[in-house]
Amino acid sequence: MAARWSSENVVVEFRDAQATAMSVDCLGSHAVLSGRRFLYMVNLDAPSEAPRKIGRQSKWDVGTVQWNPHRSESHVFAASSNQRVDLYSWREGCGEVHTSLQGHTRVISDLDWSWFEPEFLVTSSVDTYIYIWDTRDTRKPTVALSAVAGASQVKWNRRNQHLLASSHDGDVRIWDKRKPNTAAEYVAAHLSKIHGLDWHPDNEFILATSSQDNSVRFWDFRQPRKYLNILSCQVPVWKARYTPFSNGLVTVMVPQLRRENSLLLWSTLDLNSPVHAFVGHDDVVLEFRWRPQKEGSKDYQLVTWSRDQTLRIWRVDPQLQRLCVSDVVEDLMDEMSLNVESDKSFTSQEPESQHGLGPAAGNLQDPGVALGSVVGSGLPQTLQQEFSLVNLQIRNVNVEMDAVNCSCVVSAHFGSHQVRLVVKFPAQYPNNAAPTFQFVAPTTIPSAMKIKIQKILTDTSLQKVKRNQNCLEPCVRQLVSCLESDMTQDDGPPPNPFVISNPVTPPLQAFPRVTNTYGSYQDANIPFPRTSGARFCGTGCLVYFTRPITMHRSVPPTEPTPRSLSALSAYHSGVLTPMKMRSESQSTLRLYSGSPTRSDKDTVSISSFYYKERKSRRFKTKREGTDYGNRPIKLAGKVIIQEISCLLPVHKALGESYILNVNDILETCQKNASAALTVGRRDVAKVWALASAATGQDLSPDSDPDTETPWARHPFGRHLLETLLDHYSHMSDVQTLAMLCSVFRAQAPPPDGNPLYAHHPSRSSSMLPPQHSRYPSYTSSSVTSGSCSSTSDSITTTTWNAGRDSEHVNPWGESSPDDYRYGNQGYADPREREREQHDMNKRLLDPANTLQFDDFKKCYGEILYRWGLREKRADVLKFASCPPEPHKGIEFGVYCCHCRIQARGTQCAVCKRLTFQCAVCHVAVRGSSNFCLSCGHGGHTGHMMDWFRRQDECPAGCGCHCLLQSTF
Amino acid sequence: MVSVINTVDTSHEDMIHDAQMDYYGTRLATCSSDRTVKIFDVRNGGQILVADLRGHEGPVWQVAWAHPMFGNILASCSYDRKVIVWKEENGAWDKMYEYTGHESSVNSVCWGPYDFGLILACGSSDGAISLLTFTGDQQWDVKKISNAHTIGCNAVSWAPAVVPGSLIDQPSGQKPNYVKRFVSGGCDNLVKLWKEEDGQWKEDQKLEAHSDWVRDVGWAPSIGLPTSTIASCSQDGRVFIWTCDDPAGNTWTTKLLHKFNDVVWHVSWSITGNILAVSGGDNKVTLWKESMDGQWACISDVSKGQGAVSTITDTQQNEQ
């Protein structure tokens, strides 16, 4: 039986190939080995034949090579070389590049042919893009997927033609090619770089990732937070790929390490120990591929390429395949018989399978005949070999091996228990000869358990040696597992079995709500933090902060800053240094995490993206010999406040010196002009001179519309002013705008002759001498722009809801544009209308724009307030004509007392009766009124006052004690 | 001329992500990856640490001062998915409110115009925008716009409280019809305008021009002119100026301010709305000003973080 293993191992050496990549075509007839100077085409049916060569001229190694997996395109393979993918076609013994795909700007890390569409190829690159190419149109990729981080692997899903997965350092992204904008799912798979990615051949949701962090993890991407299973190895795993038969997995270690040269076959159902090792390569395995099964054959063949420049073909017979199915040790006994049977059946099948292999079978059977370079067996044959290869770095376990005496002593202690076990190996071991197990002092476990363990160990070893396999390591692991599970029952929480002496702990098991894993997958949609910024604040300040000048980006300046926080994950592990990060910066990295607010040493901060440049020696000496490098690094730059008011069109000095004296407009203009000159605003000074001229007495309009055209109608009147306002609007000079508006408002006194300040409304809210307003819906409100509490009381008015007054008295000095618009309705006398029109015409400020002028004043008032010039602000706001602030308290609406419908005016629109009758005189009330909030009766204020001077009951006779009920 | 009036050494233990002064320009708030918010009194060139606010469990991205009519109130948002409103009472700063309604990092906070009361908009990486309104007596009303931006919302900025089309359509005597509006930018490369109608927030406009994540938006303050202006900046390095003269607010025209070589993180308007400060991944600050003919020109450049703003053009307005 032992000979079986060597005979199944085909070894061909290609001494000069120096190939970096290998691929097997979908027919299983050829493997391509890509060296720097040639591509070697190996006929797998006759591997010892001299390979055919395709020359290539490139200084770059081939990164990845892959045959098209579709039979129709089986002659095509793709090979990546730096930023380019060459598509080769191989026909009738010669091959050539037929086209190239160019688009990536950095080296291509991986490529993969679609399983569904023969023309589609996906490539991933360090340039952060993943391109999907249609090889019929090679000018540009059909789909570009933009990831923030460079990808190391990309693989199409084998079950769903739209899905693909890519790995970015420790993260995996799942993409749907129909939605290229963003990844469909993020999986924060590992803490260290992912080297390999493989989709499950049958399940569209499951994939396996292999990583630098010594583990292979299995994921259902629908549950990205928790891996399905983990396979812990002691070495970084280069590739882990599913076997074409069910439940198997093959792993190889990272080539750079050169410690472990065998491929391990695992059963995904039991990840505690590998079910088989493909031992034989003298150097690390660079690539392995499954050779498609020949029709009728039950065997699979694994083709491997190693740095020892040999290509090997391993046969995986149904026996070995079945190992991947059998799982737990408990079932072993049951399976024994089955295995024996299958052994038998296998033996009987053997000739048949050899037939199936056809011409290759001869070579497989007897490679030594054809090849000189055949290496020996695939398994350690002697105990000594096993001892040297065995991997027993298990916590709490020590194994002393004595190859000379064919024995070893396993000592372990778990909690309070100690175990010492002597294993003796027979001479024929491992060829169907099991070792014996014996507990010796000072073993402390109870005897019942001893018996149980002994049975398990015997079973395990028998299981192995029946197939001529080594059993020491599986036995020791079984021992540990038994002990630990037993301790669990005894001692409460157990240590995780099979945790190998290796610091990697599954970090994502419990996902706290607020994680310290800053920069992980979940940060992919969080924008990369700002580390510099500028903000205008107050009125004339610019506040800005920047990175300290000693902090430099760890990526070259030509690369844009990443957009998402997840890019930081690249700087998360010490294993992977960012591209241009120098080794010295690693120490600074550690310094960052040493800051006291962060407890977790592994926390990565945004500052990790930047590294601190050491000061030059010259600088150091200047610092009086202090070792600058050892001082804590300032990660926070300074915040600089800059005075930029000179850039603004408004001036605080002007705000202070501007005056607004309505009684002497001329003087106001002159003083303001000289103030403008002192701050260097000659343009504004000239405007003030113009204003003084325009507001001069000789230009003041006549009250009689017939004497002459008012100055405002002159081109240099209103039109000039409008032009000026337009100009300053463009300059955003709200100061000049507001002052001009105020001055020209003051210049045009209101038609009724009320001086602007004459109107000092009282604060009282209910009983006022009749005062008529054209703002009917307000009761009591204040003119303020909100921020100024100091002035909010000064301009208060009370108006009444009780109806409009046809008498045109405007308490505000200037009518609102609405007055202008609606005002003409009620004038019976055309002369009145004419006068009204004339009033409008006299004004230099277009009354139609009053609201806008008020906005200028309010905005300027706001700025004055920020400057702390509250009195100046009040001065300006006095000229605001806008309607008072919206009333927020009680509003009175009139409901018709007959039909209960809200009415406007004195007459109900429905019943045509008077809506609100005075309870005393029975005449409709409009204007000042008073009524009881309790019974709703009331009437003219005068009548009410008279009545309630003598009575306290309602004049309507309803019996309401109005004086007591409400606030008469 | 432009001069540095203060240089504040914040002594944050990690990088600073935002710095903002209050309404009067007397206090400076900074926030950092060290999870703290600090407030400094910077009057007369001083720098007195007034408060060191600790409460966030992750890097703090942005701070925002509320209008002083509500008291001394500061909002901060963080990676820890929280928004904290801090208030000074009797000289001591304390948490006034903590909002934990987002499922991912909160990237931006902005107080609305004081006319609307104490209202805070928060944009988060969970794609939602929250509007927190103080209703008095320790109560906050929360409205959430879910899925405002797919993937995530990066910035919010309020429109000034002006009446749209105030010049024409103001009906007689009615209260000024202030409409609450704000703008947001997100990972869907879009700039979106939002409007409150009948107490519900509705998407009003969708502005499309950027080719990568929008990192910041800024609605320019109004000086009483009928034009609305918005600046937006993006990962794609572009800064766009959006303007709307239409009183209905439906037609926005865009103008490319500049294409920078690296991501642009932040835009900020001067109080008169005519100068824009732009800062980004290149560690530089540039100031841009619109000339009389509507062209945007760079008027200064703050480089390397240590130089002063040097004005390139004569900024005195000597135009006649």
Side-chain angles (χ1 to χ4, degrees):
Chain A
M1 286 288 271
R4 203 177 89 204
W5 291 98
S6 53
S7 68
E8 282 160 6
N9 186 357
V10 177
V11 183
V12 196
E13 185 166 359
F14 299 97
R15 211 171 275 286
D16 305 321
Q18 298 299 322
T20 51
M22 185 268 292
S23 179
V24 177
D25 73 351
C26 68
L27 304 174
S29 57
H30 288 96
V32 60
L33 291 170
S34 58
R36 185 169 285 183
R37 289 172 56 230
F38 295 101
L39 299 172
Y40 298 86
M41 204 59 69
V42 181
N43 182 352
L44 291 176
D45 295 330
S48 53
E49 279 177 13
R52 301 194 184 243
K53 297 180 191 173
I54 306 172
R56 64 186 286 269
Q57 266 149 23
S58 171
K59 58 177 180 168
W60 307 101
D61 276 332
V62 170
T64 316
V65 63
Q66 195 182 67
W67 284 94
N68 194 309
H70 299 270
R71 281 183 174 266
S72 60
E73 296 283 317
S74 63
H75 58 285
V76 175
F77 66 91
S80 73
S81 165
N82 196 23
Q83 305 169 9
R84 202 181 67 217
V85 174
D86 292 322
L87 298 181
Y88 289 84
S89 55
W90 174 259
R91 284 178 204 271
E92 290 140 14
C94 45
E96 53 175 5
V97 179
H98 66 87
T99 183
S100 290
L101 309 175
Q102 295 192 26
H104 283 293
T105 56
R106 302 274 302 270
V107 62
I108 291 168
S109 53
D110 196 18
L111 60 85
D112 198 31
W113 287 98
S114 168
W115 295 95
F116 295 90
E117 294 150 302
E119 296 86 10
F120 280 77
L121 177 74
V122 64
T123 57
S124 68
S125 162
V126 183
D127 69 8
T128 76
Y129 283 96
I130 294 161
Y131 290 144
I132 299 173
W133 305 84
D134 183 338
T135 53
R136 291 164 296 192
D137 175 13
T138 57
R139 289 167 300 173
K140 62 176 177 58
T142 51
V143 180
L145 311 172
S146 169
V148 180
S152 56
Q153 288 271 291
V154 65
K155 293 284 177 267
W156 288 100
N157 191 301
R158 302 208 209 170
R159 291 276 139 206
N160 183 328
Q161 60 170 317
H162 302 296
L163 290 182
L164 54 149
S166 62
S167 67
H168 308 263
D169 300 317
D171 295 347
V172 173
R173 292 175 200 201
I174 312 294
W175 305 84
D176 186 326
K177 72 171 186 191
R178 295 165 296 183
K179 296 174 202 156
N181 285 336
T182 177
E185 194 60 74
Y186 294 86
V187 184
H190 291 269
L191 284 185
S192 303
K193 181 170 176 163
I194 295 171
H195 294 302
L197 190 65
D198 197 35
W199 285 98
H200 194 282
D202 301 314
N203 188 322
E204 90 173 80
F205 302 109
I206 292 179
L207 67 157
T209 55
S210 53
S211 160
Q212 181 74 23
D213 69 6
N214 303 1
S215 69
V216 179
R217 296 186 191 187
F218 302 88
W219 301 89
D220 181 332
F221 71 79
R222 294 168 298 180
Q223 296 154 6
R225 301 205 165 183
K226 182 79 182 81
Y227 50 81
L228 297 173
N229 216 336
I230 183 166
L231 164 59
S232 297
C233 312
Q234 295 121 313
V235 287
V237 189
W238 178 240
K239 289 284 170 329
R241 293 202 187 114
Y242 287 102
T243 53
F245 47 90
S246 56
N247 302 323
L249 185 84
V250 174
T251 61
V252 294
M253 63 169 297
V254 167
Q256 283 82 358
L257 289 173
R258 294 195 177 216
R259 266 160 52 192
E260 173 75 63
N261 304 331
S262 37
L263 298 100
L264 299 176
L265 175 65
W266 305 76
S267 161
T268 53
L269 302 174
D270 176 22
L271 297 170
N272 293 334
S273 55
V275 293
H276 183 70
F278 298 94
V279 182
H281 276 299
D282 296 331
D283 205 336
V284 290
V285 176
L286 294 173
E287 184 60 282
F288 63 94
R289 292 285 172 187
W290 290 95
R291 187 177 175 188
Q293 217 171 358
K294 292 274 182 203
E295 242 174 273
S297 165
K298 289 195 167 65
D299 289 352
Y300 283 92
Q301 289 183 324
L302 182 63
V303 183
T304 62
W305 173 252
S306 155
R307 192 174 278 161
D308 64 11
Q309 306 300 317
T310 57
L311 179 93
R312 290 173 190 243
I313 303 173
W314 315 79
R315 186 174 134 196
V316 180
D317 55 47
Q319 172 71 20
L320 203 49
Q321 294 168 27
R322 203 166 290 117
L323 279 180
C324 297
V325 184
S326 73
D327 43 2
V328 274
V329 181
E330 278 70 34
D331 300 338
L332 281 180
M333 287 311 287
D334 309 346
E335 278 192 355
M336 272 305 208
S337 55
L338 186 119
N339 279 334
V340 174
E341 278 170 31
S342 65
D343 262 308
K344 282 176 192 153
S345 66
F346 174 78
T347 325
S348 63
Q349 278 171 8
E350 207 154 18
E352 185 193 323
S353 67
Q354 280 167 10
H355 277 294
L357 283 170
N363 283 327
L364 290 172
Q365 273 294 320
D366 193 6
V369 178
L371 298 165
S373 56
V374 169
V375 185
S377 154
L379 267 189
Q381 291 301 295
T382 67
L383 191 61
Q384 207 156 3
Q385 263 180 313
E386 185 185 357
F387 280 172
S388 64
L389 288 167
V390 76
N391 162 26
L392 288 169
Q393 290 172 304
I394 306 168
R395 205 171 46 175
N396 301 332
V397 174
N398 186 34
V399 183
E400 299 154 34
M401 289 174 279
D402 183 356
V404 181
N405 295 324
C406 292
S407 73
C408 74
V409 180
V410 180
S411 45
H413 56 96
F414 287 86
S416 52
H417 291 297
Q418 271 207 331
V419 174
R420 197 168 168 85
L421 184 69
V422 176
V423 188
K424 283 198 173 3
F425 299 91
Q428 298 88 0
Y429 174 85
N431 293 336
N432 214 356
T436 59
F437 303 91
Q438 193 183 1
F439 287 102
V440 296
T443 304
T444 57
I445 54 170
S447 53
M449 193 169 164
K450 277 187 196 167
I451 295 165
K452 185 180 150 201
I453 291 178
Q454 223 151 13
K455 177 169 168 39
I456 290 174
L457 292 178
T458 313
D459 292 348
T460 309
S461 59
L462 272 174
Q463 181 71 23
K464 291 285 176 187
V465 295
K466 263 194 133 30
R467 288 186 215 106
N468 306 337
Q469 288 172 329
N470 309 119
C471 70
L472 175 58
E473 187 175 335
C475 287
V476 174
R477 288 188 186 279
Q478 279 302 323
L479 170 71
V480 172
S481 138
C482 287
L483 287 171
E484 293 208 311
S485 64
D486 221 70
M487 291 311 120
T488 321
Q489 293 154 12
D490 296 347
D491 305 335
N496 191 4
F498 306 108
V499 165
I500 301 162
S501 57
N502 160 342
V504 178
T505 48
L508 300 171
Q509 263 176 334
F511 227 85
R513 202 187 151 278
V514 176
T515 54
N516 288 332
T517 52
Y518 182 70
S520 66
Y521 82 97
Q522 51 175 355
D523 296 337
N525 54 350
I526 297 177
F528 196 82
R530 301 170 179 144
T531 53
S532 70
R535 221 186 247 277
F536 284 105
C537 292
T539 40
C541 286
L542 179 72
V543 176
Y544 66 87
F545 60 96
T546 48
R547 294 187 290 276
I549 48 170
T550 47
M551 300 278 285
H552 288 267
R553 291 151 41 108
S554 48
V555 297
T558 46
E559 275 194 29
T561 310
R563 67 179 180 182
S564 131
L565 194 55
S566 58
L568 277 182
S569 63
Y571 313 98
H572 201 282
S573 66
V575 180
L576 189 84
T577 337
M579 288 150 269
K580 285 278 171 83
M581 217 171 197
R582 300 164 193 179
S583 54
E584 60 172 358
S585 65
Q586 292 233 338
S587 59
T588 34
L589 251 180
R590 237 166 273 129
L591 255 168
Y592 297 153
S593 53
S595 90
T597 45
R598 272 176 264 125
S599 49
D600 186 357
K601 285 263 177 196
D602 290 334
T603 305
V604 162
S605 155
I606 166 68
S607 46
S608 322
F609 181 68
Y610 304 94
Y611 68 88
K612 187 191 161 285
E613 193 180 63
R614 298 287 168 128
K615 292 284 175 187
S616 68
R617 216 169 273 276
R618 189 164 43 88
F619 204 86
K620 234 188 244 176
T621 49
K622 267 191 196 166
R623 294 243 165 197
E624 295 163 4
T626 45
D627 187 2
Y628 198 82
N630 287 344
R631 289 177 45 178
I633 294 153
K634 276 243 163 70
L635 296 169
K638 293 198 161 113
V639 178
I640 296 165
I641 304 170
Q642 225 163 27
E643 170 72 36
I644 46 94
S645 38
C646 66
L647 299 176
L648 297 178
V650 293
H651 305 263
K652 190 179 179 184
L654 279 185
E656 283 164 347
S657 52
Y658 271 164
I659 56 163
L660 269 173
N661 183 355
V662 274
N663 298 320
D664 194 344
I665 299 285
L666 206 62
E667 190 212 357
T668 303
C669 292
Q670 283 163 355
K671 284 204 170 166
N672 289 348
S674 58
L677 271 185
T678 56
V679 298
R681 289 290 299 265
R682 276 175 301 171
D683 60 320
V684 182
K686 285 183 182 170
V687 168
W688 282 117
L690 222 116
S692 76
T695 54
Q697 280 300 314
D698 44 340
L699 289 181
S700 68
D702 204 293
S703 58
D704 183 355
D706 297 330
T707 27
E708 57 173 357
T709 317
W711 175 248
R713 309 294 290 168
H714 192 274
F716 286 167
R718 187 183 286 179
H719 183 70
L720 176 66
L721 186 56
E722 271 171 7
T723 316
L724 281 175
L725 291 179
D726 198 44
H727 173 80
Y728 286 107
S729 293
H730 273 112
M731 274 176 66
S732 302
D733 186 351
V734 67
Q735 189 172 34
T736 309
L737 288 171
M739 290 305 287
L740 283 178
C741 292
S742 300
V743 163
F744 283 99
R745 261 293 300 291
Q747 173 264 337
D752 59 358
N754 282 351
L756 214 79
Y757 297 118
H759 175 69
H760 272 294
S762 149
R763 297 177 57 186
S764 81
S765 57
S766 61
M767 300 300 276
L768 263 185
Q771 183 199 3
H772 309 294
S773 160
R774 295 196 54 84
Y775 304 113
S777 62
Y778 299 102
T779 47
S780 167
S781 46
S782 60
V783 181
T784 108
S785 64
S787 63
C788 180
S789 51
S790 65
T791 59
S792 63
D793 293 337
S794 64
I795 309 176
T796 310
T797 186
T798 305
T799 58
W800 293 82
N801 68 314
R804 285 164 180 261
D805 202 316
S806 62
E807 187 189 348
H808 180 66
V809 179
N810 193 333
W812 292 96
E814 171 145 330
S815 55
S816 77
D818 314 309
D819 283 316
Y820 184 50
R821 198 179 305 145
Y822 303 114
N824 294 338
Q825 299 160 354
Y827 303 130
D829 185 356
R831 268 180 301 173
E832 204 165 322
R833 187 190 297 172
E834 196 182 328
R835 187 176 301 126
E836 175 87 353
Q837 186 63 46
H838 183 61
D839 284 344
M840 295 299 160
N841 288 345
K842 284 194 299 193
R843 287 184 212 148
L844 281 168
L845 288 171
D846 188 351
N849 290 339
T850 311
L851 271 174
Q852 184 177 10
F853 302 148
D854 287 340
D855 278 343
F856 292 150
K857 288 167 209 162
K858 276 196 270 181
C859 291
Y860 181 47
E862 190 72 15
I863 292 173
L864 286 170
Y865 193 72
R866 283 180 188 252
W867 282 333
L869 305 172
R870 300 184 189 189
E871 286 174 17
K872 297 284 180 190
R873 173 176 184 273
D875 274 348
V876 172
L877 288 184
K878 274 181 220 163
F879 292 89
S881 65
C882 75
E885 282 276 294
H887 170 62
K888 290 199 180 103
I890 300 170
E891 283 191 37
F892 296 113
V894 178
Y895 282 86
C896 173
C897 55
H898 305 286
C899 49
R900 301 283 163 201
I901 287 171
Q902 190 167 18
R904 305 190 71 158
T906 53
Q907 203 176 32
C908 173
V910 180
C911 64
K912 306 292 180 199
R913 284 194 274 191
L914 298 178
T915 49
F916 185 34
Q917 267 184 323
C918 177
V920 177
C921 68
H922 297 276
V923 169
V925 182
R926 48 186 192 186
S928 174
S929 69
N930 240 322
F931 46 88
C932 171
L933 289 179
S934 174
C935 67
H937 295 117
H940 296 106
T941 307
H943 293 154
M944 290 301 117
M945 285 172 76
D946 284 345
W947 176 265
F948 285 111
R949 205 166 285 149
R950 288 169 282 111
Q951 307 282 336
D952 57 357
E953 276 193 26
C954 181
C958 66
C960 171
H961 293 269
C962 300
L963 279 189
L964 300 173
Q965 299 290 336
S966 59
T967 54
F968 263 119
Chain B
M1 280 312 289
V2 171
S3 57
V4 173
I5 55 174
N6 207 337
T7 305
V8 182
D9 187 355
T10 58
S11 58
H12 273 298
E13 285 155 8
D14 209 332
M15 298 191 114
I16 299 173
H17 299 306
D18 197 18
Q20 196 180 110
M21 284 207 285
D22 67 353
Y23 182 81
Y24 303 105
T26 56
R27 292 204 249 199
L28 173 75
T30 59
C31 62
S32 153
S33 263
D34 70 5
R35 309 171 186 195
T36 65
V37 175
K38 293 187 181 188
I39 299 173
F40 297 88
D41 188 330
V42 291
R43 267 178 295 193
N44 306 319
Q47 39 179 300
I48 304 154
L49 181 66
V50 177
D52 185 348
L53 307 177
R54 289 165 192 269
H56 282 297
E57 293 157 51
V60 189
W61 299 139
Q62 209 174 52
V63 289
W65 287 95
H67 195 276
M69 73 185 284
F70 304 107
N72 288 323
I73 292 176
L74 183 76
S76 60
C77 63
S78 159
Y79 176 78
D80 69 4
R81 310 164 188 201
K82 286 195 281 197
V83 175
I84 299 183
V85 180
W86 311 85
K87 184 168 188 176
E88 187 194 46
E89 255 162 314
N90 307 320
W93 283 89
D94 215 344
K95 261 186 218 179
M96 178 188 184
Y97 178 58
E98 186 173 298
Y99 176 65
T100 52
H102 281 294
E103 282 142 38
S104 183
S105 164
V106 185
N107 304 317
S108 182
V109 282
C110 185
W111 290 102
Y114 58 79
D115 312 61
F116 305 139
L118 207 49
I119 181 168
L120 184 73
C122 324
S124 162
S125 285
D126 64 7
I129 297 172
S130 292
L131 291 132
L132 315 176
T133 314
F134 185 63
T135 53
D137 195 30
Q138 308 300 314
Q139 294 297 308
W140 289 77
D141 174 56
V142 178
K143 279 197 182 114
K144 199 162 172 184
I145 309 172
S146 297
N147 204 19
H149 288 276
T150 39
I151 308 179
C153 172
N154 298 337
V156 284
S157 174
W158 284 85
V162 287
V163 182
S166 64
L167 308 181
I168 321 121
D169 287 320
Q170 192 68 348
S172 165
Q174 283 184 11
K175 60 178 178 182
N177 194 17
Y178 290 146
V179 179
K180 287 181 197 159
R181 287 195 296 171
F182 69 88
V183 60
S184 64
C187 301
D188 50 6
N189 309 350
L190 293 175
V191 173
K192 286 185 177 178
L193 305 187
W194 304 87
K195 185 156 95 176
E196 194 188 44
E197 273 174 17
D198 310 321
Q200 295 299 312
W201 285 94
K202 286 180 181 147
E203 185 181 313
D204 189 31
Q205 288 288 312
K206 198 189 274 180
L207 309 181
E208 246 180 297
H210 289 292
S211 59
D212 207 333
W213 292 9
V214 178
R215 286 303 306 265
D216 200 13
V217 285
W219 202 309
S222 161
I223 59 158
L225 296 172
T227 310
S228 299
T229 308
I230 291 171
S232 65
C233 63
S234 156
Q235 184 73 28
D236 64 12
R238 290 189 180 87
V239 176
F240 283 106
I241 307 289
W242 307 84
T243 49
C244 173
D245 301 319
D246 171 18
N250 290 330
T251 39
W252 290 82
T253 50
T254 179
K255 187 181 273 181
L256 178 66
L257 178 97
H258 189 65
K259 163 98 168 67
F260 294 84
N261 289 327
D262 202 347
V263 48
V264 183
W265 280 328
H266 196 43
V267 285
S268 173
W269 289 100
S270 71
I271 189 160
T272 47
N274 65 331
I275 304 177
L276 186 73
V278 179
S279 51
D282 56 4
N283 215 22
K284 286 181 185 169
V285 177
T286 47
L287 301 185
W288 298 77
K289 186 172 174 178
E290 191 180 18
S291 64
M292 297 291 281
D293 57 351
Q295 295 302 310
W296 288 89
C298 181
I299 57 165
S300 77
D301 198 345
V302 187
S303 55
K304 306 285 184 215
Q306 76 274 43
V309 171
S310 56
T311 48
I312 291 168
T313 55
D314 184 13
T315 55
Q316 296 294 317
Q317 284 85 23
N318 290 327
E319 303 100 284
Q320 299 299 308

